[in-house]
Amino acid sequence: MNNAQMKRTPFHKILIANRGEVALRIMRTARRLGYGVVAVYSDADREALHVREADQAIRIGEALPAHSYLRIEAIIAAAKASGADAVHPGYGFLAENEDFARACRDAGLVFIGPSPEAIKAMGNKAGAKDIMRAAGVPCVPGYQGVDQGEGAMFAEAERIGFPVMIKAVAGGGGRGMRLVTDAAMFLDTLRSARSEAQGAFGDPTVILERAIADPRHIEIQVFGDRHGNAIHLGERDCSVQRRHQKLIEEAPSPAVTPELRARMGAVAVAAIKSISYEGAGTLEFLLDKSGEFYFMEMNTRLQVEHPVTEAITGLDLVELQLRVAGGEPLGLRQEDIQFSGHAIEVRLCSEDAGHDFMPQSGRMALWQMRQGIRVEHALESGSEISPFYDSMIAKLISHGESRDQARRQLIHGLEQTAAFGVTTNQGFLIDCLRHPVFAGGEATTAFIGEHRDELLAGTKDPSSEAALAALLLYVTDRNAPPWRNGRTLAVAFPLPVRLELDHGSYDLEVVRERDGGYLASLGGNAHRFEIDDLGSDTIRFRSNDVMETAKFLRNDDRLYFLHRGVTIAVRDLTLAAPATAAATGGDGKVRAAMNGRVVAVLVKPGDKVAAGQPVMTLEAMKMEHVHTAGIAGTIAAVDVAEGEQVTTGKIVVEIEVAAAT
C-alpha cells in the first residue's frame, strides 16, 4: 500500500450541518457522486425544503441557532444516529469552529473542511495576521493585542488614526464589524460591536484596523490537499456591500490584471502551504487605488459566492471538497486552471432596502424563477421566511462571454423573478447592476454609501404604480362583474380606491368607460388602461399605446404584482379604519419593527427620554436594530426582557407624554 492509499479516508453518508440553500447545494453534488445525505433541522425548519429533500433528517433543537445549529453535541449525536460517517458544515454557523472540527474528528467522523489546527491558525483574524506578517504578506496596520480594556483600545485607535475599523476576531459576514470615523463615537461603537460579536460567535474579542479609503474587496479562492498540493482558482470581486455584508460578487474582478492575479494568487498559495491547509479556503484582501493589496482575513470554508468561480473555471468546488476530505489528491496543477468568460452573483435578501435594509420575515406567497440562469435557493410558494436566520433567501448567478453580457442576463433574470409576500431587495439589486459606476466596473466598497439615494430612488413612478394597483384591485375584486373584452353599454359609476404602496397611501377613482377601457384618476392625473387579456395571475394591458404584461397575486386585502422588473406590494385600505397615531409611535408606544430577539433594553421605568432616543435593541436575521422613542416623555413601562423573542408590532416600551409647560 503506497502513502497516498494510506492517507485515504473513505466515507459513504454525509450529514450536512446547515440549512437552506447551502444544504441543498451540497446535497446536489453529494448525490451525483453517490453519497447518502442527512439533514438536520430546528423547530423553525421542520417543514423546510432541505429537510424534505434529504434521505434522513434529524431534529437538533429549538429555533434559535444557539439552541440548534450551533449545538455541537446535538449535531454529533445526529450523525451517529443516522449512520453518517462524514460532516459537511456548509458556511456560517459552525463552519469555522475549531471545536466542532475537533469534535467530529474525535467522534470518528470525517470533517469536510480543514483541520482544527488550520481553522484555529487562520480562522482567528488576529492569529491569521501574525502568520501573514511572518510570511511577508502586507497587512492593514492595526491592533490585535490581548489587552481588550476600553482604555487600551481607545489609545490604540488614536495611535492608528481615525477612521478605524472594529472587527470581531471570530466569524465573519459583517457581524461585529463597525466603522468609527472619530474619537467621540469610539467607545459606544466598540460596545455595540462586542455585543454583536458575543451574540453571533460567543466571543466578544475584537481587533482594530486602519480604514482604507474606498478600496476594492478582492478574495482569492484556494484549495489544498493532504499530499502537499495547493492551487488558487483566481479572484472574486466582492466590493458591493451593505452593512459590511456582500450583495454582489463577480469573477474575474474588473480591477485585477493577469499580473496582479498571479501575484495575489502566489501569496495565497504560499500562505496555505505554510500551514499544510486542506480543503477550500478564501483569503480576503483590500485593494487600494494605487494597486497595493493588504491581507484582511481568511475564511476556512466554502464561500457563499463560490458559484461565480465555478462558472468561470468549470469546476465543482463541493466535489473538490469531498475528494480532498476523502484523501484524494487535488489532481489539478496551477497551469490546469483556465478561466472562461465572466460571472456575476447577486444575493436576494428578505429586507427593505428603503428602510435601512431592515430584515423581513413572513410567508413567501409566490416564488417563481426565470429559466436560463443559475439560482441557488430553498424556496417554494408558501415557504416561511424565518426571523431566526440570515436574510439571504436566494442567489442568482449569470455567466456570459463578457462582463456586460453577464450583467444584462442577470438584470433580466431578476426582472422575471416573482417573489411575492415578503419584501426583498430585488429592485435595489437591479438598480445596482444598472448603475453606470457598476456597469463601468468602477464600484468600490463605497459604492452603495456614495450612491444610496440614487439607488433607492430607482426608476419607479409611484403615480403610475398606484394607478395600475388600483386597476388590479378593481378587476380582481370578488364582487366586481367579470371582465370581458369589448364595449360596455354604459359608463359605470366611479369606484373609490384607497391603497397603501411603498409606505405611502393613495386615494384614487377607477371607472370603466363605454369603449371597455379603464380610467384610474389620482388627484389631477388620469391613467387610462385597455386590458387585452386577464388571467388568474397575469394581466396584459395597454397604457399610452404601450402594451405590457404584469404578473399578480391577490389575497384578500393584499395585492402583489411584478411590473417592469419591480415587485410591488399593495394593501387595500378602501374599507380599512383610518390610521392613528399608533402607526408612527406618536401614541407613546414603541413597537417591534420585526420579529426578533431583544438583545438590549436601554431604559428603565422612570427614565426621561427625548424623541429619537434609543430605547431597545432587537436582533433579527443576524443584524441588530435600534428602536427609538417616538415622542419625548417618561418611560412608563418596559414590556420585554433581554433575550425575549418578540413578534412584529408587539409593544416593547411605553412612554408617558411629557407634560406641557
Side-chain angles (χ1 to χ4, degrees):
M1 182 178 294
N2 60 38
N3 289 336
Q5 290 173 320
M6 291 176 63
K7 291 183 178 181
R8 296 286 175 94
T9 50
F11 50 89
H12 309 283
K13 184 186 290 188
I14 302 168
L15 180 138
I16 302 168
N18 218 295
R19 63 180 298 278
E21 61 88 16
V22 66
L24 290 171
R25 163 70 190 93
I26 295 164
M27 284 182 199
R28 188 168 66 244
T29 292
R31 281 193 165 132
R32 179 173 62 79
L33 297 177
Y35 295 105
V37 290
V38 181
V40 292
Y41 65 91
S42 69
D43 289 344
D45 281 340
R46 184 179 182 85
E47 302 300 326
L49 192 59
H50 79 275
V51 174
R52 303 203 312 270
E53 289 292 318
D55 300 325
Q56 298 167 273
I58 299 178
R59 178 186 179 273
I60 52 171
E62 299 171 4
L64 287 173
H67 300 157
S68 52
Y69 296 105
L70 294 175
R71 290 181 62 208
I72 294 175
E73 73 284 355
I75 294 173
I76 298 297
K80 292 293 188 181
S82 66
D85 47 4
V87 174
H88 196 306
Y91 37 72
F93 296 130
L94 294 169
E96 295 180 278
N97 188 302
E98 62 178 290
D99 293 333
F100 182 49
R102 185 173 291 106
C104 289
R105 185 171 67 185
D106 292 346
L109 301 168
V110 174
F111 181 75
I112 302 172
S115 67
E117 293 77 18
I119 293 175
K120 181 178 181 179
M122 298 301 287
N124 180 286
K125 291 180 176 64
K129 280 193 166 187
D130 290 339
I131 292 172
M132 286 295 175
R133 284 195 181 91
V137 179
C139 295
V140 180
Y143 171 74
Q144 49 268 347
V146 295
D147 189 346
Q148 292 279 304
E150 290 187 352
M153 297 295 281
F154 183 76
E156 289 295 337
E158 288 197 311
R159 178 187 62 81
I160 295 166
F162 292 96
V164 298
M165 292 294 301
I166 300 173
K167 292 184 176 181
V169 298
R175 293 178 294 282
M177 183 184 296
R178 300 287 191 278
L179 173 65
V180 188
T181 56
D182 59 68
M185 62 186 293
F186 179 79
L187 290 180
D188 284 343
T189 309
L190 175 65
R191 293 169 192 140
S192 174
R194 282 177 166 164
S195 171
E196 190 172 65
Q198 176 67 46
F201 313 118
D203 184 353
T205 309
V206 297
I207 64 173
L208 304 178
E209 289 180 353
R210 179 184 298 161
I212 297 175
D214 302 345
R216 299 264 192 167
H217 185 144
I218 306 294
E219 59 187 31
I220 303 291
Q221 175 72 59
V222 292
F223 259 94
D225 65 25
R226 67 186 61 174
H227 307 282
N229 303 306
I231 58 172
H232 73 85
L233 304 182
E235 83 285 352
R236 296 183 288 258
D237 194 318
C238 310
S239 299
V240 179
Q241 305 174 6
R242 56 95 177 92
R243 294 182 172 219
H244 307 297
Q245 294 179 316
K246 303 163 187 173
L247 278 185
I248 303 176
E249 301 101 347
E250 59 182 309
S253 167
V256 174
T257 63
E259 294 75 20
L260 181 57
R261 179 177 303 118
R263 189 154 55 100
M264 296 180 75
V267 163
V269 169
I272 66 168
K273 279 190 171 183
S274 72
I275 58 169
S276 302
Y277 189 86
E278 297 177 24
T282 300
L283 281 81
E284 305 206 2
F285 299 89
L286 294 179
L287 178 67
D288 70 17
K289 295 177 181 178
S290 70
E292 294 299 318
F293 61 90
Y294 303 90
F295 173 78
M296 288 193 300
E297 63 188 56
M298 181 176 183
N299 292 312
T300 55
R301 54 170 167 80
L302 192 69
Q303 292 280 85
V304 173
E305 57 272 21
H306 74 274
V308 295
T309 297
E310 292 183 324
I312 66 168
T313 62
L315 299 170
D316 183 328
L317 270 59
V318 175
E319 178 177 346
L320 286 178
Q321 283 188 296
L322 300 184
R323 295 193 182 283
V324 167
E328 296 182 33
L330 273 170
L332 293 168
R333 300 167 300 171
Q334 192 61 56
E335 54 266 34
D336 296 327
I337 307 304
Q338 302 294 320
F339 304 110
S340 174
H342 200 99
I344 308 176
E345 171 184 290
V346 294
R347 302 189 187 194
L348 186 69
C349 299
S350 54
E351 63 186 24
D352 188 344
H355 286 75
D356 199 27
F357 303 99
M358 185 176 291
Q360 306 289 304
S361 56
R363 180 175 172 270
M364 184 66 75
L366 178 68
W367 170 252
Q368 290 181 352
M369 302 164 293
R370 175 182 176 267
Q371 300 299 311
I373 65 170
R374 178 175 173 177
V375 183
E376 297 287 347
H377 69 101
L379 295 171
E380 57 189 348
S381 297
S383 290
E384 285 294 327
I385 309 301
S386 168
F388 302 104
Y389 312 116
D390 195 271
S391 64
M392 188 187 78
I393 56 174
K395 304 180 308 195
L396 287 77
I397 307 100
S398 63
H399 180 226
E401 293 181 5
S402 67
R403 182 177 187 270
D404 205 49
Q405 181 185 2
R407 186 182 65 87
R408 292 195 307 268
Q409 288 175 347
L410 194 49
I411 291 171
H412 189 55
L414 280 164
E415 288 178 332
Q416 301 300 311
T417 297
F420 294 166
V422 179
T423 300
T424 74
N425 62 344
Q426 179 181 6
F428 184 78
L429 292 172
I430 292 172
D431 291 334
C432 285
L433 293 170
R434 282 182 172 149
H435 195 280
V437 171
F438 182 85
E442 300 297 327
T444 70
T445 56
F447 172 69
I448 288 179
E450 290 180 348
H451 303 285
R452 182 167 177 160
D453 291 344
E454 301 167 59
L455 295 169
L456 291 175
T459 56
K460 294 187 293 184
D461 177 0
S463 172
S464 176
E465 290 173 352
L468 179 55
L471 172 69
L472 286 167
L473 288 172
Y474 184 97
V475 299
T476 59
D477 190 294
R478 62 168 62 94
N479 297 315
W483 174 83
R484 65 182 187 278
N485 201 355
R487 297 176 62 86
T488 185
L489 296 176
V491 177
F493 289 108
L495 176 70
V497 176
R498 188 165 192 269
L499 56 88
E500 180 184 73
L501 182 153
D502 197 22
H503 304 283
S505 60
Y506 299 85
D507 290 284
L508 304 96
E509 284 188 339
V510 181
V511 64
R512 186 168 191 193
E513 301 177 304
R514 290 183 186 277
D515 63 0
Y518 293 83
L519 201 65
S521 300
L522 175 64
N525 297 321
H527 298 261
R528 192 172 188 282
F529 301 94
E530 298 174 29
I531 298 179
D532 285 3
D533 187 47
L534 179 65
S536 60
D537 64 355
T538 305
I539 184 172
R540 190 169 68 248
F541 63 93
R542 298 172 192 268
S543 180
N544 297 323
D545 295 323
V546 177
M547 188 175 74
E548 298 186 73
T549 300
K551 181 174 286 292
F552 67 86
L553 176 68
R554 176 76 183 266
N555 186 4
D556 296 326
D557 67 338
R558 303 286 176 169
L559 169 72
Y560 307 95
F561 62 96
L562 180 64
H563 181 227
R564 298 179 182 174
V566 178
T567 296
I568 311 296
V570 179
R571 184 181 174 207
D572 185 359
L573 300 178
T574 307
L575 302 179
T580 67
T584 60
D587 61 349
K589 294 179 173 60
V590 181
R591 294 168 172 82
M594 77 286 288
N595 295 345
R597 183 172 64 91
V598 178
V599 295
V601 176
L602 307 174
V603 293
K604 61 183 183 299
D607 286 354
K608 303 289 186 183
V609 294
Q613 180 177 330
V615 296
M616 185 203 69
T617 302
L618 193 67
E619 181 186 65
M621 293 180 167
K622 300 184 181 180
M623 288 189 277
E624 291 189 354
H625 299 269
V626 176
H627 287 53
T628 60
I631 59 172
T634 303
I635 300 298
V638 175
D639 301 305
V640 293
E642 290 188 9
E644 183 177 340
Q645 194 72 29
V646 299
T647 56
T648 303
K650 176 179 170 57
I651 296 172
V652 293
V653 174
E654 298 177 54
I655 304 169
E656 190 175 276
V657 181
T661 58

